[in-house]
Amino acid sequence: MGTSIVSQEYEPQGSDSAYMQRALELAERNAVGVSPNPAVGAVIVRYGVVVGEGYTQPPGGAHAEVMALQQAGGKARGATMYVSLEPCCHYGRTPPCTRAIISAGIADVHFPIIDPDAQMNGRGKDELQAAGVGVHIGKGEEQARSLNEAYLKHRTTGLPFVIGKFACSLDGRIAARSGEAKWISGPESQEWIHQLRTRVDAIMVGSNTLLADDPLLTARPGGNEQGAHQPIRIVLDSQGRTPTTARVLAGPSRTIIATTDRTSSDWREAIEGTGTEVLAMPGKDSRVDLQILFRQLAERGVMSILVDGGGVLLGSIFDEHLVDKVIAIISPLIIGASDAPAAVAGRGAWRLADALCLTSVTIEKFGKDIMVIGYTDESYSRSILKQT
C-alpha cells in the first residue's frame, strides 16, 4: 500500500463532518490486506488545513494515526485529529497510537465509535482524556460501523462475519439440469465479486461445488490473480471426496479442508501431502459442525467469510442462523426443471411467516444482472454492532 499522502483531489471543507468523511474514505479505499486489524483512516487538521493523512498498513505496519503523524511532523502540535475508530492504547505488533498522539501534542481527537476489542473498549478514550486531549465521539458512526462490520462482529461475538453469496437465474436455479453452472452471471458482476474476494479473509464452498466446478477460489480482479490479496480457501468436505488433483489445493493462497473425524485417515494424509491443511472435527449429523468450525476459524483471526455455494452449504448456514449478509446476483435466465439445483437448499421455512426477510436492502445493476444485497436480521447483525 505504501506511504499515505495528502490527496490533491481533496479540498478541506472546514467542518468536522467533512474531515471525518475524509478519514472514513481513506479507511475504505485502503481496506485490502489489513485484517485482522480494522480498516482505519486518519486526518490531521491545523488552522483549517490538512497537514497529515494516513491509513492502517498491513499487519506489522504502522496504524493510520502514526502514518498521519509522520506526515504532519511538527505541524501536529496543537492540531486536531480525525480518525475512523478509537485509537489503540495497547502494545501489539506496533506501539500504542494514543501515546504517539499525546507525544505529538495533538490537542483534540474526533472518532465515531469505541473499539470493542477487549484490550480497548474505551481505554484509548480514557488515556487521551487523562493526558488533557479533547475527545469527541459520534460523527460518522453509521458509516464507521458499516466499514468495519466484520471486525466489530468478530470482537463482539467471537464469530466471523458471514456473507452468503449466490448467482442464480430468475427462477432461482444455480445450474442447469446437467449440472452446468459456469457463467450464470455476467462479466460485470463477476468482476465486482472478484474485487470483494480481495477484501474478505476467507472464501468457502462445499464439496458438491468443488466436484462440479473444480474452482480455483482465488481473487482475480481484472482477470489476474497476480498481486491481488488472496483469501484463505476453505472447502467443507464431510465425506472425504476432494481429490488430490483439485485446483483449489494449488495456487497462491492457503487452503483448508474442513471435514469430520470419521473420514479416512489415508485420504486425510493424501490431502495433507499436497501442503493443504486438513481440519478434522466431530461431526453433527455426519456433517461438519458449522458452529464449531466458524468459532475455530474466528479464533484463528478469520473475521470475514464469503460463502460462495453451493445450495446445500448455503442452506446449512442459513438453517444454523450463521449468515449476516446476503449477496444475490440474479441473471435474466429461465432454467426451469424441477431437479435443477436451487440457490439455497436446507430445511428452510415451513411457513411463509417463518421465511427469512432481508433488511437494509440495496439493489444495483451490473450489465444484464441485478445484484441484491441485504442483511439477514437487524437484531443479529446491525443491532449487535450498535451496542458497542
Side-chain angles (χ1 to χ4, degrees):
M1 293 184 180
T3 304
S4 62
I5 60 171
V6 176
S7 169
Q8 299 302 312
E9 300 174 0
Y10 180 67
E11 295 294 334
Q13 300 297 310
S15 73
D16 292 338
S17 296
Y19 296 132
M20 182 58 71
Q21 180 61 39
R22 176 58 177 169
L24 289 161
E25 176 190 319
L26 285 168
E28 185 167 13
R29 182 185 297 176
N30 300 286
V32 175
V34 300
S35 180
N37 292 327
V40 180
V43 175
I44 298 174
V45 180
R46 190 168 186 260
Y47 301 134
V49 177
V50 174
V51 295
E53 286 188 340
Y55 48 83
T56 295
Q57 304 296 296
H63 290 186
E65 299 94 320
V66 172
M67 296 295 289
L69 288 169
Q70 288 175 353
Q71 189 179 95
K75 294 179 182 178
R77 187 159 299 277
T80 299
M81 175 180 283
Y82 299 83
V83 58
S84 58
L85 185 68
E86 177 188 19
C88 70
C89 61
H90 59 87
Y91 281 91
R93 294 184 179 91
T94 59
C97 290
T98 48
R99 297 191 186 180
I101 291 168
I102 293 165
S103 296
I106 290 287
D108 292 273
V109 175
H110 294 248
F111 56 86
I113 54 174
I114 295 291
D115 185 340
D117 185 275
Q119 299 179 86
M120 290 289 301
N121 206 21
R123 293 182 181 88
K125 168 184 69 70
D126 294 343
E127 185 172 319
L128 291 172
Q129 289 178 325
V133 178
V135 174
H136 313 270
I137 307 173
K139 288 189 184 301
E141 178 181 3
E142 184 176 353
Q143 188 175 347
R145 293 192 185 283
S146 178
L147 170 66
N148 278 308
E149 58 192 4
Y151 173 82
L152 294 173
K153 186 193 174 187
H154 182 270
R155 293 300 194 269
T156 304
T157 68
L159 289 168
F161 188 87
V162 179
I163 304 168
K165 173 261 173 181
F166 55 87
C168 67
S169 61
L170 277 174
D171 53 345
R173 305 299 182 184
I174 58 172
R177 288 178 61 195
S178 65
E180 180 189 3
K182 288 188 177 181
W183 320 131
I184 281 184
S185 57
E188 296 88 353
S189 52
Q190 289 172 28
E191 173 64 19
W192 190 93
I193 291 297
H194 277 287
Q195 293 287 348
L196 174 64
R197 288 183 178 187
T198 68
R199 291 175 171 259
V200 296
D201 293 332
I203 180 169
M204 178 182 290
V205 298
S207 57
N208 288 338
T209 296
L210 181 137
L211 293 172
D213 299 341
D214 193 20
L216 286 167
L217 298 186
T218 55
R220 300 184 298 278
N224 188 2
E225 66 186 23
Q226 188 172 0
H229 177 72
Q230 297 295 334
I232 299 170
R233 300 172 292 182
I234 303 172
V235 178
L236 267 66
D237 187 353
S238 301
Q239 300 176 46
R241 299 188 295 164
T242 301
T244 56
T245 56
R247 295 198 300 168
V248 76
L249 305 185
S253 60
R254 287 172 53 203
T255 300
I256 298 173
I257 304 291
T259 189
T260 70
D261 53 12
R262 299 177 63 181
T263 50
S264 160
S265 59
D266 290 342
W267 170 78
R268 281 184 257 158
E269 288 175 7
I271 294 296
E272 288 172 339
T274 68
T276 299
E277 179 182 359
V278 175
L279 185 58
M281 63 190 69
K284 179 181 179 182
D285 300 326
S286 16
R287 293 184 177 180
V288 172
D289 189 317
L290 294 172
Q291 298 281 351
I292 294 175
L293 173 61
F294 281 31
R295 194 162 291 278
Q296 286 192 13
L297 292 172
E299 289 171 357
R300 294 175 174 219
V302 174
M303 297 194 307
S304 56
I305 302 175
L306 176 64
V307 181
D308 206 359
V312 173
L313 174 56
L314 284 167
S316 296
I317 64 169
F318 277 109
D319 287 343
E320 294 283 341
H321 305 286
L322 289 167
V323 183
D324 294 287
K325 191 174 188 176
V326 174
I327 299 175
I329 301 169
I330 305 168
S331 188
L333 302 172
I334 302 293
I335 291 175
S338 60
D339 53 350
V344 180
R347 294 190 306 272
W350 177 252
R351 304 175 305 161
L352 284 177
D354 300 325
L356 188 64
C357 184
L358 299 185
T359 59
S360 303
V361 174
T362 59
I363 299 173
E364 298 185 52
K365 196 169 186 300
F366 289 86
K368 64 183 180 65
D369 302 329
I370 294 172
M371 186 179 295
V372 179
I373 302 175
Y375 290 80
T376 55
D377 182 72
E378 287 284 338
S379 65
Y380 186 66
S381 59
R382 285 293 177 88
S383 67
I384 283 178
L385 306 185
K386 291 178 182 175
Q387 296 170 13
T388 58

